[in-house]
Amino acid sequence: FEARLTPQHNRDFSCGLFWSTKRSQDKREKMAETVSVSKRGDEVWVMTLQGNGEEGRYENTFNPEFIRAIHAALDKVQNESKGSAACLVTCSSGKFFSNGLDLGWLMEQEIGGEVQLNFLRDFHKLLFRVL
């Protein structure tokens, strides 16, 4: 997976995840926009969780790619805020605001292995950052 940042209309920002599978190698690269950030007024930002998972069933489950997308959006807010304070409103466009950890992905990893531990550390870093 590769995270790419895409500016939209000067003040809007999207972070998307690009992927290809064996079935789609011959097709053009697809993009799933997972998190968007837009600025409203002077220092009010809106971060929208736009889903991961099957189309039409976006659950905003936390996996490494989703966490990276959120961090990228938060970096954008932090880097472009003018003062020491800004307001960040979070919302969702999917069925759920968040359906929690991506347990399917997490359980596919070696239990107690490095991938799981690194993921949990990254998730905790995100929690510390937003709380």
Side-chain angles (χ1 to χ4, degrees):
F1 288 94
E2 175 184 347
R4 295 186 186 175
L5 309 180
T6 309
Q8 298 174 339
H9 310 297
N10 295 332
R11 295 191 309 174
D12 289 348
F13 171 82
S14 295
C15 180
L17 299 176
F18 294 76
W19 75 92
S20 63
T21 63
K22 291 180 182 177
R23 285 187 255 163
S24 66
Q25 285 178 352
D26 296 333
K27 298 178 182 178
R28 65 186 189 127
E29 193 174 59
K30 295 183 179 180
M31 177 180 152
E33 190 176 78
T34 58
V35 178
S36 68
V37 172
S38 58
K39 188 172 183 181
R40 311 278 193 242
D42 288 335
E43 289 299 318
V44 176
W45 297 81
V46 177
M47 179 173 69
T48 305
L49 307 179
Q50 299 179 159
N52 54 15
E54 298 174 18
E55 189 171 335
R57 193 171 185 269
Y58 300 135
E59 298 184 352
N60 299 317
T61 53
F62 287 87
N63 57 38
E65 292 79 21
F66 195 58
I67 289 173
R68 280 193 288 274
I70 293 172
H71 272 299
L74 293 173
D75 289 343
K76 173 77 173 175
V77 171
Q78 187 173 12
N79 293 334
E80 292 193 11
S81 292
K82 296 174 186 170
S84 62
C87 175
L88 176 66
V89 178
T90 58
C91 58
S92 170
S93 63
K95 182 177 178 181
F96 304 99
F97 177 78
S98 173
N99 207 11
L101 296 176
D102 186 344
L103 295 178
W105 174 86
L106 191 60
M107 296 312 293
E108 290 174 355
Q109 311 309 311
E110 176 187 353
I111 295 177
E114 189 173 335
V115 172
Q116 271 191 350
L117 294 176
N118 286 336
F119 167 73
L120 293 173
R121 282 186 198 110
D122 290 342
F123 182 69
H124 285 133
K125 286 178 188 177
L126 179 62
L127 292 178
F128 286 127
R129 190 171 183 189
V130 297
L131 297 179

